[in-house]
Amino acid sequence: MASSTDQNGQNGYVDVLGLEFTRNVIGSMGPDTWPRLREVMTALIKHVHDFARDVQLTTDEWMAGVQMINWAGQMSDSKRNEGQLLCDVIGLESLVDDITFSAATKSTSGLTASAILGPFWRSDAPIRENGTTITFDTPEDGQIVFMHGKVTSVETGRPLANATVDVWQASTNGKNSERLDCRGQDSKQRDCNLRGVFKTDSEGKYSFYCLRPTPYPIPQDGPAGKLLGLMDRHVFRPAHIHLMVCASGCRSLTTQIFDEDCKYLGNDSVFAVKDDLKVRFVPRKDDPRAELELEYNISLAKAA
Ligand code: BEZ
């Protein structure tokens, strides 16, 4: 039986199952490796080796994984990030988002929680007036919501004027209005339907009309969808609205809010739901433009 003392022993045998092998791979990094990269790669090599030992990974299984990663690369371009989607379905983007946000904010109490950006944000959404709508050609099954709230500083409680609240959501068919040349989304929606950027007033307030969000599936035609199927999981995201909020002197916030009545809340296919981000849509009175209302206040931390 091989032992760690056999590592690079006189007979040339390399005990790849032993920890000495892993130490040897880690030790092959040269002195000019950046310290953070050394830290990350040391842990990655250690965990990947331990994973292979734990599950006794076979060559065929490893090659199936390599092919899946290659497929993700082949499907990806500037408009589609299948590698990100693969990470999403195993919870990695949510985990990294939480580590990044918690580290930067030191878990400040009262702060609005973050959630992953997802693939559908656009940098060119139009600035719209408070009190106007982001929903055009509203679908017959769409319910209109008047959403409003206040953006404040978590440290001082004061309103943040001139903050931008960038909002985007899918339509009731589960599709986002995308750039016209973008694959897989809805060319029937007008450009920048269900998107807009609102600026807070002197009291930190914003408001707009939007759709009550509905659940929708993530793209299923690539390795992320394939992996979900192999793991006997569904592809749905719970009903949500995306927000990106920026104010001068504050740390920007990317988040999503989730309809507390949605049946997929407890099993989001990309694991983005947090308790603090669940919201309730309530009936709106005396407004012919909306049947529902949502007040959502946002609290930002000061920038580092
Ligand atoms: C979304 O928000 O729609 C989304 C997020 C992550 C992966 C796929 C879709």
Side-chain angles (χ1 to χ4, degrees):
M1 201 171 81
S3 78
S4 62
T5 54
D6 292 322
Q7 167 77 23
N8 294 328
Q10 282 188 328
N11 61 1
Y13 177 71
V14 177
D15 176 11
V16 293
L17 294 179
L19 296 181
E20 192 57 32
F21 174 73
T22 298
R23 276 196 281 273
N24 194 27
V25 175
I26 290 169
S28 67
M29 281 185 276
D32 289 341
T33 311
W34 297 334
R36 175 62 177 162
L37 182 68
R38 180 184 295 280
E39 184 184 358
V40 170
M41 288 309 297
T42 298
L44 180 68
I45 293 164
K46 182 178 174 313
H47 288 291
V48 165
H49 285 204
D50 284 348
F51 152 72
R53 289 186 189 101
D54 279 358
V55 301
Q56 291 289 289
L57 196 68
T58 67
T59 304
D60 285 350
E61 290 163 346
W62 162 74
M63 190 44 85
V66 168
Q67 277 162 355
M68 202 158 235
I69 291 170
N70 290 348
W71 183 16
Q74 285 149 7
M75 281 200 98
S76 297
D77 55 26
S78 62
K79 300 180 192 82
R80 175 161 186 171
N81 192 334
E82 192 68 24
Q84 182 182 1
L85 204 54
L86 263 182
C87 292
D88 288 343
V89 301
I90 58 166
L92 188 58
E93 189 179 356
S94 280
L95 180 61
V96 170
D97 171 66
D98 207 48
I99 291 167
T100 309
F101 195 73
S102 304
T105 57
K106 300 195 174 54
S107 302
T108 314
S109 90
L111 193 63
T112 303
S114 66
I116 60 175
L117 178 69
F120 299 122
W121 177 72
R122 277 175 61 168
S123 58
D124 59 349
I127 294 185
R128 303 190 196 274
E129 288 293 318
N130 278 312
T132 63
T133 191
I134 61 168
T135 171
F136 303 93
D137 312 320
T138 300
E140 271 177 22
D141 57 349
Q143 286 182 291
I144 308 265
V145 177
F146 180 66
M147 178 167 164
H148 61 104
K150 209 168 174 179
V151 182
T152 55
S153 150
V154 77
E155 287 87 8
T156 65
R158 291 207 194 99
L160 294 166
N162 260 327
T164 53
V165 179
D166 188 343
V167 56
W168 67 105
Q169 65 175 159
S171 188
T172 53
N173 63 2
K175 303 228 163 118
N176 284 260
S177 64
E178 266 301 343
R179 290 177 198 87
L180 293 179
D181 55 347
C182 185
R183 285 185 267 150
Q185 291 295 317
D186 194 356
S187 56
K188 293 201 186 88
Q189 288 180 48
R190 73 175 66 175
D191 195 32
C192 283
N193 187 33
L194 298 168
R195 295 170 185 277
V197 180
F198 296 85
K199 283 198 172 165
T200 56
D201 65 15
S202 58
E203 294 175 83
K205 290 181 176 165
Y206 73 89
S207 59
F208 53 82
Y209 291 88
C210 61
L211 282 182
R212 182 182 193 160
T214 44
Y216 60 85
I218 64 167
Q220 296 153 69
D221 54 343
K226 172 83 178 168
L227 187 59
L228 284 176
L230 290 171
M231 293 192 293
D232 191 20
R233 281 173 46 192
H234 72 76
V235 290
F236 281 88
R237 295 229 52 218
H240 64 279
I241 299 174
H242 291 268
L243 298 167
M244 186 189 287
V245 187
C246 305
S248 165
C250 290
R251 193 182 156 77
S252 300
L253 172 78
T254 299
T255 195
Q256 303 177 26
I257 49 177
F258 298 90
D259 186 338
E260 66 169 20
D261 288 335
C262 181
K263 68 174 179 174
Y264 294 110
L265 213 54
N267 56 359
D268 181 1
S269 57
V270 302
F271 305 97
V273 180
K274 294 176 180 170
D275 280 345
D276 291 358
L277 297 174
K278 295 175 187 169
V279 296
R280 172 175 296 174
F281 296 91
V282 297
R284 178 156 170 88
K285 294 194 191 91
D286 304 326
D287 183 350
R289 296 186 66 187
E291 56 186 296
L292 296 168
E293 175 169 343
L294 173 65
E295 178 176 4
Y296 193 70
N297 297 318
I298 297 156
S299 193
L300 301 183
K302 70 171 183 290

